[in-house]
Each structure stands twice: as C-alpha cells, then as structure tokens.
C-alpha cells in the first residue's frame, strides 16, 4: 500500500469514527454544525478543493463538482430546516472516498503486474576494462563492448556470448519458468536473469535499442491507444455530466414553480432541492469513467505478466473479435529447425552434392540454408564461392570452385529450363543442378512444434471459425502439416508478396464485425503482420521486426500462447460490457426513483459508490489469467 493510500485510509477511519461518535454527543444548533463540519472536512477537503480548481480552470462538470454541490447543498438544507441532520452529507463524501480508495488500490494492483515486468530493467552493466570490472550505467555501454554477467544478475544489453555456459531465467519476458541453456556463440537478450555460470558477452546493440528497452516502452505506452469502448465512455461522460447537472437544476426549480404558479399549491422547495441533490449524487459517472479504463489496464497488465504484450486496449478489443487466424508455417507451427534426412543423386557422391549445396547457400541466413551448412559439418570457405545470385522464392545460383551450381525448388529448375526428377518423400525438396545438368535433390524436413496441434484445437474452442496456413513450402509438405494439425485451409508455394495478397483476399471474405489475425515470426512477415486486422508475432524475443510490426507480441514460441491471448482479450471485453450494462442500468433506475422522490440520499450513495466499488472489483478480475 502506497503512502497516499495509507493517509486516505486513516482519513476514512477517522471520519467514520467521528461520525459514529457524534450520535452520542448531545450538542445542538451551531455547535452541532461545527462538530459535524470536522469529519466532513477531514474526509472531503480535497474534493472541495478540486471542485474549486475545476471551476477556476473552466472544467466545471466532473465528479468532484457533483459531490461538492450535493454535499454542501445537503448541509445547507439541514441548516435551513434546523434539523441538524448532517449525517447524509458526510456519509456521501465518506463513501465516495471509500470508492476512490478501492479504485486506487485496484489500479495499484494492476500496475504491480506491469511493475513486475519493469523489474527486468537492469540497474548497471559490468564492463571489462583493463582486466577489471567496472559497474556503469547501461546507457553508457557502446556496441562491441565486453560485459560480464555474473550469476543472479540481469542481462543488461543484447549481445553474443563469447565465453561461459549457463542457464537463463526468461520468466519475466515469456511468463514461463522453464530455464534456457546458453553457450558460447548464442545470442542473449536483455531482461533475462543469469542463473548459474559467469558469461562474457559482446554487446550488439545500445541499451536504448535493446530488447528490454523496447518491451518496456511498448508496455508503458499501451494505455495511450484507447479502444472504441474507452472512447465511447470518455465522450459519454463529457455529454452526460453537464446534462444531469442541468436536469438536477430543472428538478430543483421547475416542479416548485409549477406547483406555486400553475396549481396554486405550496412550492415545497426543500423537498425538490433535496431530490435534486439526491439526483446529483446518483448521477455521478464514477463507475463508468473509472472501471472501463481500469478493466483494459488490468487486462493489459495480466496479459503482460503471462508473456503476452498488447500494444493498446484497441488491439485487445480487436483481438476479442478474431474469428479467422492465419498462420505462417515455419517458426510458427513448426520449429523452423530443418534437418537433412535424404540425399538422392544421379552420378555424384552424397557428400559432394551436399558440399555444393552448402557452399551455394553460404550467404543466406534462411533456416534451410542453415540446415544444409549444418549437415555439411565443415567450415564454409567463402573464397570458393563467387557470383551468388538469389532468386526470391526460388533458390540460388553460384559458382563453386568455378563450377555452375543451382540449388532451389521446382520453380528454379523451370526458370533455368532444367528437367528434374520428382520425389515421393515428404519434406522440402532442394533440387541441385551442376553445370546446367540435373544432379539430384536433397530432402529437408521441418519439425512440427509439440503443442501446435493442441493450439489449433484450443483456438477452435475459443470461437475461431477458420484457421489458414500460408507457406512457401511445397504443396505436398504443406498439405501433410495442415492435415496433421487440423488446419482448415492451406496455401502453399507462396512468394512473400503472395502472402499479402492471400491475406487481403481473406479480409474481403470476412463478415463485417469479425476480425482476422495473422500469426508470424515477425522477421520476414512484417508486411502481412501490418496488413491483417491484428498482427501477432510469436517467439519474438529480440526481434525488432516483431516488436515494430505486430500489434500483439507473444514472448514465447509456444503456439498455445495464441489461444491464451484471445482468451485474455475476450475475458477483458466481457468484463467491460458487464460493467457498462451494470453501471448504466443501476444509474437509470436510481435516477428515476430519485426524481419521483422514492430514492433518498442513502440509496444515492449505493447508486454511486456501491456501483463503483462493485465495478472496480469486477475489473480486477481481468488481472488473473488461467494457465492453459
């Protein structure tokens, strides 16, 4: 509990104790008024001051103004009637502050989830200078510096491990507690906690561009992107508050004037002014203005704690309406770990064919290229390779030791006019041509992620109508993966530009109120991530393209996180709609009862503070995310 909350709690308890004690004090007249004024000012001085400041600044119609007018009016009415019953005015202010305290506590609780994420911000970096360690601010560390990360310390800046083996705790980034092994040559990202060995790391980015800085910036700015529901509530409050003030004014003066002038009856000013003051207390829009943004804030906080970073409440709202999910295959549904599991050749040896393929692909960072180089198993001598030419979506051609080598798919062979032999194996087929003659092919298979099939099933359970897979892979491979995972529709042998066209076509087929989500690895899928209604980048730790292009960033590579993200968004939106219906419904009923004289100030307190507390408590539920 923060210091401000503790002070407010003391004020609430003190005012409540004095209010109870006044029932046993036999004071009358002005002495009674002064004694009751003490608890009123203890609990309400800040509300009165805010109301005065609002009037000075021209921002009259807010909840502080409504509370001030209602309670000061009730006290003035008690003085005029000489009833000495000031309890209602003090009770209104007291319970209003109780509601504000609950709201402050709820915001603090949801902020705590984001604060937990903020704990990944490193305080220092150990820079190695002349054989000794010096603690410096991470902002001062330049690219290429050598830093030491000791056991128990946070990794301050992105880099590459030069020396040392360890395990890393990535729970602050992914929401999962499973540690990850780290060894020399591995990339390491800021925000992880080094658990065991000492690591020497060469930095590859400045602190301002590191993963931890980007994530913190993303979460801190999430509240600036408002959803349609939040915009509606803001606009509603701007119109609603002045309207009820004028309605209360009309309720205070019009009926008495009609009774006195038209009907010739006693005006009954006290009765109607009391009803107007009750009307003002009931009309205070606190429950809506506070609980709706709080629901979204809690939803974003709960999601971030589960490793799902949502860039704004507008994306949370869009995600909840998702009925079509489009997947990129490699790295999303499959591990992106390709292994050579077959070499079929004509008159050339297996190892020689693999050597040609590995050297021709030596300049590429594509997973297939990496698998070829890994299968070759020897150090690549780039001086042996010249005239490398990559044909997008087809493959590569190059001169290896002066020999013309082509490595790619069917389209590359067709492009070069080289007859090729089809293969019955399921996998990615890399056709090879040497000096313009077909030399054979290499079969490479990707590995489906362990929980991919379950993830697709969970999406269907979450209300997703259609699942689609897009891939540049061969039709036979794509169809097999789609069948194994239960994907509804698959489009294969696509170039990067074709994926955008397919998503645009799917968007046109979408019903108006439904949304389409694209899930990719965030590196080569940036155009599609931006084009979809909502882009989801998964397994995006350290990926600039993911954080920049996607609307939702899943910090783990587990496809089950997609269903979790949708479930979080729907729970949050459900809470928002519950609060809207509940708050407006109770307000309208109580306003009507107050206008006709059935509701008194105590019912007004429930209609204002009681509804707000219930709505705030309901909003807090968005913080809690069940594990799948």
């Amino acid at each position: 509990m923060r210091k401000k909350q503790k002070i407010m709690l003391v004020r609430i308890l003190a005012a409540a104790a004095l209010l109870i004690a006044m029932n046993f004090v036999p004071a009358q007249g002005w002495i009674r008024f002064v004694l009751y004024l003490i608890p009123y000012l203890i609990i309400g001085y800040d509300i009165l001051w805010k109301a005065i400041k609002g009037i000075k600044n021209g921002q009259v119609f807010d909840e502080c103004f409504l509370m001030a007018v209602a309670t000061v009016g009730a006290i003035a009415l008690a003085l005029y009637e000489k009833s000495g019953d000031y309890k209602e005015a003090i009770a209104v202010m007291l319970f209003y502050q109780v509601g504000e305290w609950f709201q402050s506590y709820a915001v603090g609780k949801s902020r705590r989830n984001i604060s937990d994420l903020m704990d990944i911000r490193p305080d220092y970096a150990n820079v190695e200078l002349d054989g000794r360690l010096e603690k410096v601010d991470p902002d001062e560390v330049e690219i290429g510096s050598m830093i030491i990360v000791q056991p128990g310390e946070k990794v301050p800046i992105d880099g590459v491990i030069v020396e040392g083996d360890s395990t890393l705790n990535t729970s602050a980034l992914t929401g999962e507690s499973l540690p990850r092994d780290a060894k020399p040559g591995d990339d390491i990202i800021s925000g992880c906690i080094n658990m065991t060995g000492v690591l020497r790391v060469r930095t590859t980015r400045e602190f301002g561009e590191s993963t931890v800085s980007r994530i913190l910036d993303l979460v801190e700015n999430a509240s600036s992107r408002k959803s349609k529901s939040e915009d509606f509530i803001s606009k509603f409050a701007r119109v609603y508050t002045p309207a009820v003030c004028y309605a209360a004014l009309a309720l205070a003066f019009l009926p008495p004037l009609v009774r006195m002038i038209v009907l010739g009856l006693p005006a009954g000013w006290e009765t109607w002014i009391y009803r107007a003051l009750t009307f003002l207390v009931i009309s205070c829009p606190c429950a809506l203005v506070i609980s709706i943004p709080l629901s979204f804030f809690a939803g974003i906080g709960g999601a971030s704690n589960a490793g799902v970073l949502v860039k704004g409440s507008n994306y949370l709202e869009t995600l909840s309406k998702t009925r079509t999910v489009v997947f990129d295959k490699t790295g999303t549904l499959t591990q992106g770990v390709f292994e050579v599991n077959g070499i079929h050749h004509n008159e050339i040896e297996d190892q020689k064919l693999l050597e040609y393929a590995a050297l021709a692909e030596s300049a590429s960072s594509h997973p297939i290229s990496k698998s070829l180089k890994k299968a070759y198993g020897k150090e690549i001598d780039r001086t042996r390779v010249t005239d490398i030419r990559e044909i997008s979506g087809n493959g590569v051609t190059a001169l290896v030791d002066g020999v013309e080598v082509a490595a790619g798919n069917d389209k590359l062979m067709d492009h070069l006019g080289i007859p090729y032999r089809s293969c019955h194996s399921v996998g990615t087929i890399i056709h090879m041509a040497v000096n313009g003659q077909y030399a054979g092919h290499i079969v490479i298979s990707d590995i489906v992620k362990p929980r991919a099939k379950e993830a697709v099933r969970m999406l269907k359970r979450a209300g997703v109508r259609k699942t689609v897979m897009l891939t540049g892979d061969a039709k036979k491979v794509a169809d097999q993966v789609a069948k194994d995972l239960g994907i509804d529709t698959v489009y294969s042998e696509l170039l990067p530009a074709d994926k955008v066209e397919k998503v645009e076509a799917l968007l046109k087929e979408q019903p108006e109120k439904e949304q389409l989500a694209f899930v990719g690895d965030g590196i080569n899928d940036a155009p599609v991530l931006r084009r979809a209604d909502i882009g989801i980048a998964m397994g995006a730790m350290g990926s600039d393209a993911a954080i920049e292009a996607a609307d939702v960033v899943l910090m783990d590579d587990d496809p089950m996180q997609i269903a979790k993200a949708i479930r979080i968004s729907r729970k949050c939106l459900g809470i928002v709609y519950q609060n809207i219906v509940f708050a407006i419904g109770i307000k309208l009923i109580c306003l009507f009862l107050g206008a006709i004289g059935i509701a008194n100030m105590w019912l007004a307190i429930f209609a204002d503070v009681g509804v707000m507390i219930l709505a705030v408590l309901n909003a807090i539920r968005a913080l809690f995310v069940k594990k799948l």
Side-chain angles (χ1 to χ4, degrees):
M1 196 185 297
R2 292 180 291 111
K3 184 179 178 181
K4 192 174 180 182
Q5 290 173 331
K6 289 178 181 178
I7 292 171
M8 176 53 72
L9 187 58
V10 170
R11 286 173 58 195
I12 289 169
L13 294 174
L18 287 171
L19 185 60
I20 294 168
M22 284 305 298
N23 290 308
F24 305 99
V25 177
Q28 297 296 326
W30 285 100
I31 296 175
R32 184 179 177 83
F33 167 71
V34 171
L35 289 175
Y36 268 105
L37 201 59
I38 293 170
Y40 176 77
L41 291 176
I42 286 173
I43 197 63
Y45 72 86
D46 53 337
I47 301 298
L48 297 173
W49 178 241
K50 286 176 185 176
I52 292 168
K53 283 176 69 177
I55 293 168
K56 280 184 178 180
N57 297 331
Q59 298 173 341
V60 179
F61 300 111
D62 60 10
E63 59 267 25
C64 292
F65 175 78
L66 295 180
M67 286 296 108
V69 170
T71 54
V72 170
I75 290 171
L77 203 59
L79 269 174
Y80 174 77
E81 293 178 339
K82 299 180 181 179
S83 65
D85 188 7
Y86 307 107
K87 296 188 191 72
E88 286 184 341
I90 298 169
V92 167
M93 196 66 85
L94 177 63
F95 284 108
Y96 175 77
Q97 293 285 39
V98 168
E100 288 290 297
W101 187 87
F102 264 95
Q103 179 257 336
S104 174
Y105 179 79
V107 170
K109 189 170 179 61
S110 58
R111 279 189 187 278
R112 217 166 297 136
N113 275 38
I114 294 187
S115 296
D116 290 342
L117 184 68
M118 297 306 161
D119 284 343
I120 64 177
R121 186 189 296 275
D123 300 317
Y124 60 88
N126 296 315
V127 177
E128 194 175 37
L129 294 171
D130 301 325
R132 59 186 178 83
L133 294 184
E134 184 177 334
K135 287 186 178 181
V136 300
D137 191 296
D139 280 320
E140 298 175 9
V141 179
E142 298 179 354
I143 296 174
S145 300
M146 194 67 68
I147 62 173
I148 304 297
V149 185
Q150 302 183 77
E153 291 184 333
K154 299 183 187 79
V155 177
I157 305 169
D158 295 1
V160 178
I161 298 173
V162 175
E163 184 181 313
D165 294 276
S166 183
T167 53
L168 304 174
N169 181 349
T170 63
S171 60
L173 299 173
T174 66
E176 299 295 331
S177 58
L178 190 67
R180 301 190 179 198
D181 294 328
K183 59 184 184 301
D186 289 349
D187 291 328
I188 188 170
I189 63 172
S190 51
C192 299
I193 297 176
N194 182 21
M195 296 175 66
T196 52
V198 177
L199 298 176
R200 295 182 76 236
V201 178
R202 180 179 290 108
T203 61
T204 54
R205 298 184 187 181
E206 294 179 348
F207 177 69
E209 293 299 315
S210 65
T211 301
V212 65
S213 294
R214 287 176 174 271
I215 292 171
L216 294 177
D217 182 63
L218 185 155
V219 176
E220 286 169 348
N221 293 318
S223 59
S224 64
R225 299 180 177 92
K226 291 188 175 182
S227 68
K228 290 180 181 178
S229 299
E230 282 183 285
D231 285 336
F232 162 74
I233 294 303
S234 299
K235 291 172 184 175
F236 176 80
R238 285 199 295 269
V239 175
Y240 168 82
T241 309
V244 294
C245 286
Y246 292 128
L249 198 63
L251 186 63
F253 290 100
L254 290 182
L257 289 174
V258 169
R259 285 173 59 87
M260 187 172 61
I261 298 171
V262 178
L263 302 177
L265 298 173
W269 290 104
E270 300 87 350
T271 301
W272 291 100
I273 289 174
Y274 180 81
R275 288 186 187 182
L277 295 174
T278 303
F279 189 90
L280 278 180
V281 175
I282 295 170
S283 66
C284 188
C286 301
L288 282 174
V289 174
I290 291 170
S291 69
I292 305 310
L294 178 61
S295 299
F296 282 111
F297 188 73
I300 290 171
S304 66
N305 196 45
V308 179
L309 303 184
V310 184
K311 288 188 176 181
S313 55
N314 55 331
Y315 300 123
L316 207 59
E317 191 166 26
T318 303
L319 189 61
S320 71
K321 298 174 184 175
T322 299
R323 294 294 180 273
T324 300
V325 176
V326 182
F327 297 94
D328 173 56
K329 180 177 79 72
T330 305
T332 303
L333 295 172
T334 63
Q335 293 183 6
V337 178
F338 291 84
E339 295 180 351
V340 173
N341 60 18
I343 301 174
H344 306 155
H345 55 84
N346 289 341
E347 297 178 357
I348 192 169
E349 295 179 358
D350 287 7
Q351 192 59 28
K352 191 63 179 176
L353 191 67
L354 189 58
E355 180 181 11
Y356 277 144
L359 288 167
E361 295 273 5
S362 60
S364 175
S365 60
H366 191 279
I368 288 177
S369 305
K370 290 180 180 178
S371 67
L372 290 169
K373 287 178 269 190
K374 181 181 177 182
Y376 176 52
K378 298 178 183 178
E379 189 173 344
I380 300 293
D381 183 359
R382 292 284 296 274
T383 60
R384 296 173 59 190
V385 190
T386 56
D387 294 343
I388 298 173
R389 188 164 67 94
E390 185 168 347
I391 303 171
S392 181
N394 291 0
V396 297
T397 61
L399 289 178
V400 179
D401 297 331
V403 177
E404 292 181 5
V405 175
N409 56 21
D410 301 359
K411 294 177 184 177
L412 180 64
M413 296 296 108
D414 291 336
H415 176 75
L416 298 175
I418 299 172
Y420 59 91
R421 189 171 73 246
S422 59
C423 181
H424 298 293
S425 301
V426 175
T428 299
I429 310 301
I430 305 299
H431 293 288
M432 298 292 300
V434 177
N435 283 330
Q437 299 295 317
Y438 189 69
H441 51 258
I442 300 169
V443 182
I444 298 175
S445 297
D446 194 0
I447 303 169
V448 173
K449 288 184 177 178
R451 299 217 289 173
K453 185 174 183 178
E454 188 183 356
V456 174
R457 184 174 58 82
M458 290 300 294
L459 282 173
K460 295 291 179 70
R461 285 182 60 184
V464 172
R465 290 189 304 102
K466 185 178 183 181
T467 52
V468 181
M469 187 176 78
L470 307 181
T471 179
D473 217 336
K475 186 176 187 306
K476 185 164 58 175
V477 177
D479 288 345
Q480 186 63 49
V481 171
K483 182 181 177 182
D484 291 343
L485 298 181
I487 300 288
D488 298 322
T489 308
V490 58
Y491 297 98
S492 55
E493 301 179 2
L494 299 175
L495 298 175
D498 296 334
K499 291 184 181 180
V500 178
E501 290 179 9
K502 286 295 180 187
V503 167
E504 287 179 342
L506 289 166
L507 285 168
K508 290 176 183 176
E509 297 171 8
Q510 281 280 107
E512 188 177 345
K513 293 184 179 180
E514 295 185 4
Q515 304 294 324
L516 179 144
F518 178 81
V519 187
D521 61 12
I523 298 171
N524 57 357
D525 294 316
V528 203
L529 285 166
R530 289 191 180 277
R531 182 63 191 89
D533 290 321
I534 187 159
I536 304 174
M538 64 178 297
M541 289 196 301
S543 169
D544 290 344
I547 293 175
E548 291 299 326
D551 307 312
V552 177
V553 180
L554 308 180
M555 298 308 293
D556 202 345
D557 62 359
D558 185 354
M560 290 289 284
Q561 290 283 77
I562 305 164
K564 181 189 284 186
I566 292 175
R567 197 159 46 83
I568 290 170
S569 69
R570 292 197 179 149
K571 179 181 178 180
C572 181
L573 264 292
I575 290 170
V576 167
Y577 295 143
Q578 289 166 16
N579 282 346
I580 290 174
V581 172
F582 176 65
I584 292 179
I586 296 294
K587 289 282 183 190
L588 291 176
I589 293 169
C590 292
L591 283 173
F592 174 74
L593 294 176
I596 62 176
I598 295 176
N600 58 16
M601 198 69 79
W602 295 102
L603 183 61
I605 292 169
F606 167 73
D608 176 38
V609 180
V611 171
M612 179 174 72
I613 291 173
L614 291 174
V616 165
L617 291 174
N618 192 35
I620 292 176
R621 291 196 302 114
L623 277 172
F624 304 106
V625 180
K626 290 182 181 178
K627 290 189 176 181
L628 291 175

